[in-house]
Amino acid sequence: AMLVPWAEAVTAAFTGPIYPFFMQNLGLDAGGMGKLRTVQHALNAASAPIAGCLLDARGPFLGIALPASLCAIGCAIRSMAQSTSWLVAANVFSGLSGAKTEMATAHLSRHTDPSRRTLAVSAARVQLQALALLGTLLFTPTNWVLTALLPESTWGMLRFRLLISLCVFGCGFGVIVLCCSAGTLVFHSSEAGAVFHSSE
């Protein structure tokens, strides 16, 4: 389940530095960017309880894979955006997917021995920060190469679009792994708690 936030932590680092410039090129000013963030944060708050209920009732395949799928759709729309309306649609999907990291952490906590639960969650946070740092370090040389190969004067915003599209692979990778695991893992929900075990 942690593969989803792990992959996203790396690929999101490629989007952060260039996304404000991408939005500016599509005609957004600082106020417009703030409105987009407001939409995303509001939907994050609204969707988190729903994702939590899905995680409790159906396990990580819906509680984590569904938000991650919405994230991939949002990233795809964002990378292809031609106007502000595209960015609004992308932020709606991103907002609805915002609880995936928290759900993955909750799932990890649920299936960790109580005596080691705090350590496991703390270690997961350290891993996410380390992967975000790795992505940030990789961004600079990657951006330099793309700038040399795809100058804006010739290729427009293709460099930005390619970097933003990496998020699709980050979220999509986690979804694929969870879906492939569905055949070997079975989730049971009951009043006494949730059990996750091998079906073999």
Side-chain angles (χ1 to χ4, degrees):
M2 288 301 297
L3 283 173
V4 172
W6 283 343
E8 185 193 22
V10 176
T11 56
F14 288 84
T15 302
I18 54 93
Y19 191 49
F21 300 103
F22 181 73
M23 289 189 287
Q24 283 182 335
N25 286 343
L26 289 177
L28 262 73
D29 56 14
M33 295 179 195
K35 291 176 182 178
L36 283 180
R37 293 290 292 175
T38 300
V39 170
Q40 183 170 340
H41 285 305
L43 289 173
N44 282 348
S47 64
I50 299 174
C53 290
L54 288 174
L55 181 65
D56 288 337
R58 300 295 181 181
F61 309 117
L62 280 180
I64 301 173
L66 178 59
S69 300
L70 295 175
C71 170
I73 294 172
C75 290
I77 295 174
R78 186 176 292 115
S79 68
M80 297 184 293
Q82 302 295 324
S83 65
T84 303
S85 60
W86 287 61
L87 295 179
V88 172
N91 273 45
V92 168
F93 279 99
S94 295
L96 293 174
S97 74
K100 56 190 175 298
T101 298
E102 289 75 12
M103 295 305 103
T105 304
H107 183 69
L108 171 67
S109 177
R110 169 186 287 168
H111 297 287
T112 301
D113 185 87
S115 64
R116 300 177 62 84
R117 192 166 290 162
T118 301
L119 176 62
V121 172
S122 299
R125 296 302 302 174
V126 171
Q127 291 168 352
L128 291 175
Q129 293 299 320
L131 289 169
L133 176 60
L134 174 62
T136 302
L137 293 174
L138 292 174
F139 166 78
T140 299
T142 303
N143 184 60
W144 183 85
V145 170
L146 290 177
T147 300
L149 294 176
L150 304 171
E152 191 170 346
S153 59
T154 304
W155 296 94
M157 293 196 295
L158 180 59
R159 170 172 60 95
F160 291 165
R161 297 183 188 281
L162 288 175
L163 290 169
I164 293 171
S165 69
L166 291 176
C167 176
V168 178
F169 298 102
C171 294
F173 174 74
V175 174
I176 292 171
V177 171
L178 283 174
C179 289
C180 290
S181 300
T184 59
L185 296 174
V186 178
F187 178 88
H188 296 290
S189 178
S190 65
E191 293 182 0
V195 179
F196 208 102
H197 62 80
S198 173
S199 62
E200 297 179 351

